Amino acid sequence: MKILIVDDFSTMRRIIKNLLRDLGFTNTAEADDGKTALPRLKSGGIDFLVTDWNMPGMSGLDLLKAVRADPDLASLPVLMVTAEAKREQIIMAAQAGVNGYIIKPFTAATLKEKIEKIFERIDN
Amino acid sequence: MTDKDRLSQVKNLLKALEEGDEQTADRILDEIAGVRESQLFIEVGRLTRQLHDAMVHFSVDSKITEIAAQEIPDAKERLRYVITMTEQAADQTLTVVEDIVPVARMLNEQATKLAENWERFLIRKMPFEEFKGMSQEITEYFNESVKSLEIMQNGLNDILMAQGFQDITGQIIRRVIAMVEDLENGMVDLIRLSSAKAASREAAMSSVELPGPVVPGVDDKHSEVATSQDDVDDLLSSLGF
């Protein structure tokens, strides 16, 4: 299980990476925005995507849309971890096909819960 | 009207007056006055247009008023929130360090003591009665260290999570910088306008499309903001998630 973490703030990438390691996901990769993440995803081997929304270059929402539009990536589980908390934004992400949505600041327990929920759904 | 025209008009006026032709004299006087009036009219028109242009530009620059009335107070709130968040993160980190340091020291002391005794046991310098006590101590140490290491692990996790402030405060500060830039551009335009060079506004203010982190007291005044993860979960489940 390889997870790609996309966030423009390196501190947040490190936090998520460490939390994921605690949850047993030791195989992670990082990207600092959608533009660098997309080629990484297209080259294959990524099983799960954790992405921020507001990033320079290419936003997390655009990345999500690009993933859903690519036949090879369309079914990739995507968890959005973002400070965007307006109803409008959350609905937008849901409509674009996000699998989970966490608002910052978040807790380790929330991350665990959402990831487990996503896997539960996939297994069913 | 040229000077020559005026001169001939005056000559015609004199001639008409000398001849007692009052009708012609009145007509010429009206013409001369008319010229004056139309020049005044043009001048007033020019001033009116300038005033109008200035008003139009000024309404564009009402952006400055908006920044002053709305965005600056908001920015102050946002910056205060940055202070709160950084303070919380520092407090949280320091609290964990203060909690963990004595735990680590205790583990260290116990391990040192046990290691000394263990050494004496290995070189067979320990009476059997003392050995029984030591094995009891070792058991206690194992139990104790599992608990202590758990405390330390949780503490390290709390320190990790506390660093999340950097992302949130970074986003908020970026927004305030964008606001300051808007204000700066507006001020520059206003100065240009007041120096009567009314250069066309380059507008192109980078519009911030995403609302960014929710700052308490600024962004949560309206109900369309999710203030907790529970709100998000409720909204998503209402959408069939």
Side-chain angles (χ1 to χ4, degrees):
Chain A
M1 165 69 58
K2 185 156 190 164
I3 302 179
L4 180 65
I5 305 161
V6 190
D7 199 306
D8 53 333
F9 281 89
S10 66
T11 39
M12 188 44 73
R13 291 201 302 272
R14 281 171 68 184
I15 290 171
I16 294 173
K17 187 179 159 182
N18 279 292
L19 290 173
L20 288 174
R21 197 188 50 208
D22 260 16
L23 296 175
F25 304 105
T26 49
N27 195 1
T28 53
E30 296 177 38
D32 60 3
D33 81 334
K35 250 186 204 160
T36 49
L38 199 56
R40 188 79 189 70
L41 289 167
K42 283 188 173 173
S43 67
I46 304 289
D47 308 295
F48 196 98
L49 173 64
V50 178
T51 183
D52 183 23
W53 184 328
N54 195 355
M55 293 178 287
M58 186 186 192
S59 78
L61 188 73
D62 290 341
L63 177 64
L64 171 63
K65 286 177 182 166
V67 164
R68 292 290 174 253
D70 186 321
D72 294 333
L73 300 172
S75 62
L76 179 77
V78 179
L79 175 64
M80 204 165 245
V81 181
T82 172
E84 303 302 329
K86 288 244 161 85
R87 276 180 69 93
E88 216 185 310
Q89 258 80 41
I90 300 165
I91 293 168
M92 243 193 245
Q95 283 168 344
V98 80
N99 299 84
Y101 197 99
I102 295 177
I103 52 168
K104 296 172 184 171
F106 62 101
T107 64
T110 305
L111 184 70
K112 183 168 186 267
E113 186 198 321
K114 299 302 161 202
I115 289 180
E116 280 172 355
K117 209 168 161 189
I118 292 171
F119 284 133
E120 225 171 80
R121 283 225 180 89
I122 292 169
D123 291 341
N124 289 335
Chain B
M1 181 176 283
T2 63
D3 286 350
K4 210 175 151 192
D5 290 340
R6 278 188 211 165
L7 196 67
S8 76
Q9 262 187 324
V10 172
K11 278 180 185 160
N12 289 342
L13 178 64
L14 276 173
K15 197 174 152 220
L17 286 172
E18 276 164 7
E19 286 170 0
D21 184 352
E22 281 185 29
Q23 220 177 347
T24 307
D26 281 349
R27 188 180 50 79
I28 294 170
L29 272 170
D30 282 349
E31 270 176 25
I32 293 170
V35 168
R36 256 293 147 84
E37 268 172 21
S38 68
Q39 271 179 348
L40 187 69
F41 199 75
I42 289 164
E43 187 61 21
V44 169
R46 198 176 61 81
L47 283 172
T48 308
R49 199 175 310 115
Q50 269 186 355
L51 184 65
H52 174 75
D53 288 351
M55 296 296 281
V56 168
H57 280 289
F58 201 74
S59 69
V60 170
D61 283 315
S62 69
K63 174 84 179 143
I64 293 177
T65 324
E66 196 190 307
I67 292 173
Q70 189 59 45
E71 293 187 22
I72 289 177
D74 275 6
K76 286 198 289 187
E77 270 313 305
R78 286 178 205 281
L79 290 178
R80 273 191 206 109
Y81 186 58
V82 168
I83 296 176
T84 311
M85 286 214 81
T86 50
E87 194 181 342
Q88 274 173 3
D91 275 350
Q92 211 175 327
T93 307
L94 290 171
T95 306
V96 173
V97 171
E98 282 165 8
D99 289 349
I100 279 183
V101 166
V103 175
R105 190 176 296 141
M106 182 114 78
L107 279 181
N108 193 353
E109 278 166 14
Q110 284 171 337
T112 311
K113 191 180 149 211
L114 282 176
E116 277 167 15
N117 290 343
W118 184 248
E119 195 58 34
R120 280 201 297 130
F121 168 75
L122 285 180
I123 56 173
R124 294 165 202 282
K125 279 189 176 167
M126 182 178 282
F128 181 66
E129 277 308 306
E130 203 186 329
F131 172 75
K132 280 206 292 190
M134 187 186 72
S135 59
Q136 179 63 29
E137 273 173 24
I138 289 176
T139 309
E140 276 167 22
Y141 178 75
F142 283 149
N143 290 336
E144 196 69 27
S145 62
V146 167
K147 270 189 242 156
S148 300
L149 288 170
E150 208 177 280
I151 291 171
M152 289 167 75
Q153 217 167 343
N154 288 337
L156 289 173
N157 248 333
D158 288 346
I159 290 177
L160 179 79
M161 290 313 291
Q163 307 316 306
F165 82 92
Q166 201 272 332
D167 171 17
I168 307 279
T169 57
Q171 290 191 49
I172 292 170
I173 291 172
R174 271 187 196 160
R175 241 155 248 274
V176 174
I177 291 172
M179 188 226 63
V180 171
E181 275 170 0
D182 276 3
L183 185 64
E184 192 186 0
N185 288 340
M187 296 298 277
V188 168
D189 281 357
L190 199 64
I191 290 163
R192 250 189 234 145
L193 192 71
S194 63
S195 65
K197 280 178 189 164
S200 71
R201 188 182 174 77
E202 281 164 35
M205 281 187 180
S206 59
S207 56
V208 182
E209 311 92 356
L210 287 168
V214 173
V215 176
V218 180
D219 299 309
D220 56 357
K221 288 176 197 158
H222 310 291
S223 57
E224 77 269 22
V225 171
T227 51
S228 70
Q229 185 63 39
D230 285 344
D231 285 354
V232 178
D233 296 348
D234 288 349
L235 177 61
L236 287 176
S237 69
S238 77
L239 293 169
F241 266 71

